[in-house]
Amino acid sequence: MNINSLNYLQLRVLLSIYKNGQGNIAATELGLSNCNVTRTLNILRDIFNDSLFIRKSNGLIPTTKLEEIIPHAKYLVEQYQLLERQHSVFTPSESSGHFVIRAYDEFVYAVHTVIANYIQPEAPNLRFDVRSLSHDCNNELITGDIDFVVVYEGFDDIRLNNEIFSETGDIYILANHNHPILEGEMSLEQLSHYPLLEIDNYNDLSCPLLVNLCRDKGLQMDIAGYTDSVATAMQILAQSNSITLSCNQFTRRFVDMIPTVLYRRLTDEMIKDIKEIRSEQRAVGNYILYGNINNSPAFNWVKSKLIYGLEREWRLASAS
C-alpha cells in the first residue's frame, strides 16, 4: 500500500488519535466505531510503513516518524476543510461530526434539551460532548479544542466571538422555604444579615455582586461559601439560613421542582444597581462563545441552532 490511497477520513482519524492519545476517544469524536478507527490506523501504518504509535500505560505515544508527518497531515486537513467550506453543500440529515460544548452548570440541561429537540431530529449523525465548565477555557476555544461555551458575562478575550441569546431580566434571591427573607418588605439591610452562598463557576468576579452592592451601601455581608454546582447549592440552601443570588431562568425553573427551596424577586432598585455593576463592559445577559478556527457549514449550522434553541428555551422558562 502507498501514499496514493491516503484520504481525508484517514487523516482526520490520525490527527484525532494524536490529539487524544486514545483510539476510543477518537472514535467518539469522529462518530465512528472503535473497529473502524482500529482498521483505519492499521491502513495508515501500512501506508507509512511505521507503527505510528507506541502503546504505553498512559495512552498511545507518537513515534518519531509520526511527529514528522503531523504538520503535513494538519495542512492537508485544513485544505480539505477549506474545500468543504467553500464548495460543499451542507445537508443536516447526512452530516456527521463531533462538537465539544462546555457550559456553566445552570445551562447544561438546557443545552442537552436544545440538542435533543432542535438539532438531532434534523442531524441525527452529529455527536456532542457536553460538560460543565469549571475553568477558564479561552485557549481551548481559540485553538478549536472546544467548539462552544455557554456563559454569562464573565469573559473578556478579544480573540473570541460571542452571540447573546438572552438578556438578563429579573434577578432573584433563593433561600430555604421557611427563610424570613421570603416574607415582608425586602431591603438590602435585611439581606445583609444572612450569609451569601455564591454559585461561582470559575471565579470571574473578584467579589460576589450582592456582597459588592452591600459594601457600596456601607453594609457587611458574610460569604457562606462558593460552589459551581446548582444541585449542591440547593441542598445547602435547604439546610441553612444562607441565601443565593440568581439571574438564571433555567435555575429558577429547577427550583420549582424543589419544595424545600423558594425564590423571591429582588426589588427594581436592587436589580438596577446590580445590572449597573455587571454591565460595565457589555450587555448583561447570556452568551455563546466560539473561536475562529472552525467555519464549516456544519459548525455554523449548529451554532445557529444553539442560539435559536437556547433563546427559545429561555423564553419558555421565563414564562413558566
Side-chain angles (χ1 to χ4, degrees):
M1 197 170 293
N2 58 48
I3 199 74
N4 293 329
S5 61
L6 188 64
N7 62 45
Y8 180 32
L9 177 60
Q10 291 166 351
L11 289 170
R12 290 172 62 209
V13 169
L14 183 66
L15 291 177
S16 184
I17 299 175
Y18 178 79
K19 179 180 72 173
N20 297 299
Q22 298 285 349
N24 60 334
I25 298 177
T28 301
E29 183 174 82
L30 298 173
L32 302 173
S33 68
N34 289 338
C35 290
N36 199 335
V37 168
T38 300
R39 185 166 55 250
T40 301
L41 181 55
N42 287 334
I43 293 172
L44 287 164
R45 284 169 168 158
D46 287 341
I47 290 173
F48 293 107
N49 192 28
D50 189 82
S51 64
L52 300 179
F53 296 96
I54 300 171
R55 186 174 296 279
K56 299 284 188 178
S57 59
N58 59 339
L60 297 174
I61 307 302
T63 64
T64 301
K65 185 167 185 175
L66 178 57
E67 294 287 6
E68 296 171 354
I69 292 170
I70 286 299
H72 303 289
K74 287 181 176 178
Y75 173 77
L76 289 171
V77 167
E78 289 172 359
Q79 296 306 304
Y80 273 115
Q81 290 174 340
L82 183 62
L83 280 172
E84 183 181 37
R85 288 195 298 269
Q86 294 182 353
H87 301 290
S88 66
V89 176
F90 174 66
T91 305
S93 61
E94 299 175 2
S95 178
S96 63
H98 180 266
F99 294 91
V100 177
I101 302 174
R102 297 292 177 260
Y104 281 165
D105 191 49
E106 302 95 312
F107 294 117
V108 170
Y109 178 75
V111 171
H112 277 291
T113 300
V114 171
I115 291 170
N117 295 342
Y118 301 86
I119 296 177
Q120 293 199 313
E122 295 184 52
N125 297 319
L126 294 181
R127 297 291 178 264
F128 295 88
D129 173 6
V130 183
R131 303 185 191 184
S132 294
L133 175 65
S134 59
H135 68 285
D136 185 338
C137 61
N138 285 1
N139 287 335
E140 292 154 279
L141 271 174
I142 292 164
T143 59
D145 292 326
I146 292 176
D147 294 294
F148 301 103
V149 168
V150 185
V151 297
Y152 43 79
E153 302 95 41
F155 60 93
D156 56 10
D157 198 310
I158 61 173
R159 295 170 295 176
L160 296 179
N161 304 299
N162 64 82
E163 300 275 355
I164 189 168
F165 63 84
S166 64
E167 293 190 8
T168 296
D170 293 334
I171 303 177
Y172 306 91
I173 288 292
L174 280 57
N176 182 294
H177 69 294
N178 291 320
H179 202 292
I181 204 69
L182 299 172
E183 301 293 337
E185 184 177 350
M186 179 184 288
S187 68
L188 197 59
E189 182 178 6
Q190 180 193 24
L191 291 176
S192 68
H193 293 158
Y194 302 101
L196 178 77
L197 174 66
E198 179 75 350
I199 302 177
D200 188 15
N201 297 83
Y202 62 78
N203 300 321
D204 63 305
L205 291 175
S206 58
C207 177
L209 287 170
L210 199 54
V211 173
N212 200 6
L213 186 59
C214 286
R215 288 177 181 174
D216 287 347
K217 305 297 183 182
L219 301 168
Q220 177 68 38
M221 172 178 271
D222 293 331
I223 301 175
Y226 297 82
T227 180
D228 60 2
S229 166
V230 173
T232 297
M234 296 308 109
Q235 293 180 73
I236 293 173
L237 293 179
Q239 300 172 20
S240 71
N241 70 337
S242 297
I243 61 176
T244 291
L245 186 72
S246 176
C247 59
N248 193 295
Q249 295 295 343
F250 299 135
T251 301
R252 186 185 61 82
R253 187 165 59 178
F254 176 60
V255 171
D256 286 337
M257 299 186 291
I258 305 173
T260 52
V261 177
L262 295 176
Y263 56 84
R264 182 181 181 185
R265 184 181 181 275
L266 289 180
T267 65
D268 290 339
E269 182 180 358
M270 291 180 195
I271 292 174
K272 176 177 176 291
D273 289 342
I274 287 175
K275 285 185 177 181
E276 287 179 354
I277 293 173
R278 197 59 165 141
S279 62
E280 293 177 356
Q281 295 182 329
R282 62 185 65 83
V284 180
N286 306 294
Y287 293 80
I288 291 178
L289 307 184
Y290 55 96
N292 294 311
I293 293 293
N294 194 341
N295 284 304
S296 69
F299 179 91
N300 290 323
W301 183 82
V302 169
K303 178 179 67 179
S304 67
K305 286 292 184 179
L306 282 173
I307 295 169
Y308 168 77
L310 286 170
E311 188 273 336
R312 189 169 189 276
E313 288 299 312
W314 183 273
R315 283 192 285 109
L316 290 173
S318 301
S320 63

